[in-house]
Amino acid sequence: MTEMKVGKIFDDAFISISKKLISLDLRRKKEEIISVKCMEFVKTKGKFNSTIICVFSSDIFDAIIIGMNDGKMPSEDEKVLYINEYVNIICGRALSEINNRLGRTSRLTVPMMCSDKESIDIDDSEMENEVLFYETEFGNIEVCIYYKII
């Protein structure tokens, strides 16, 4: 499985799930530095080992949460649960596709919020890297995928 195919699988998952789940149109764009409101990471273990980092700007963070909660802003504690579930659904969809193509199973960890990329343990020395940038009417999302197929 080439780097481009992994990126395409995650790209398809982010675009289709965001549209279906919260009616959010994600448009791919070139690299851009975004102001960070929230950073989430999730890992996969098995045949497909990876660390996926999702960076959300402030307005897109709120739009996703409101979309996941039937148009209402939840409490601060619940916001984390909603953004975790958004990342879990999308990464779970992408991982299912990867598992199907590899014919082997890998598992997804629970998504977690973090303060910065440096706080995430990534052994990227032997890993491929794919970065996806999206823009919406509400703000931007950056997705970094560090992976290795064993």
Side-chain angles (χ1 to χ4, degrees), residues 3-109:
E3 180 177 329
M4 184 172 290
K5 290 181 185 175
V6 169
K8 175 85 170 108
I9 289 168
F10 275 91
D11 185 45
D12 290 346
F14 268 89
I15 290 173
S16 66
I17 296 296
S18 295
K19 180 69 172 172
K20 184 183 283 185
L21 188 62
I22 55 176
S23 300
L24 184 65
D25 289 318
L26 297 181
R27 295 176 302 279
R28 283 292 301 273
K29 64 181 296 184
K30 294 187 184 222
E31 181 176 347
E32 178 179 304
I33 297 172
I34 66 174
S35 61
V36 178
K37 163 69 176 188
C38 168
M39 192 173 300
E40 288 271 317
F41 78 95
V42 64
K43 293 183 177 248
T44 64
K45 298 178 190 278
K47 178 82 172 165
F48 181 78
N49 285 326
S50 70
T51 300
I52 301 118
I53 303 169
C54 304
V55 182
F56 302 93
S57 66
S58 183
D59 290 341
I60 192 66
F61 176 81
D62 290 345
I64 290 168
I65 290 168
I66 289 169
M68 296 275 299
N69 193 37
D70 295 325
K72 301 175 196 111
M73 184 58 80
S75 69
E76 288 299 315
D77 291 340
E78 290 177 315
K79 287 180 183 181
V80 174
L81 298 175
Y82 281 106
I83 202 73
N84 284 350
E85 187 60 16
Y86 174 77
V87 171
N88 188 55
I89 292 168
I90 292 172
C91 292
R93 171 70 151 303
L95 184 58
S96 290
E97 179 66 25
I98 290 168
N99 285 341
N100 288 339
R101 291 186 186 196
L102 293 175
R104 302 277 307 269
T105 301
S106 297
R107 299 206 181 270
L108 194 64
T109 65

Side-chain angles (χ1 to χ4, degrees), residues 43 51 53 117 120-125 127 146:
K43 293 183 177 248
T51 300
I53 303 169
K117 286 183 184 177
I120 303 169
D121 181 29
I122 304 171
D123 180 19
D124 62 353
S125 60
M127 298 185 115
Y146 300 91

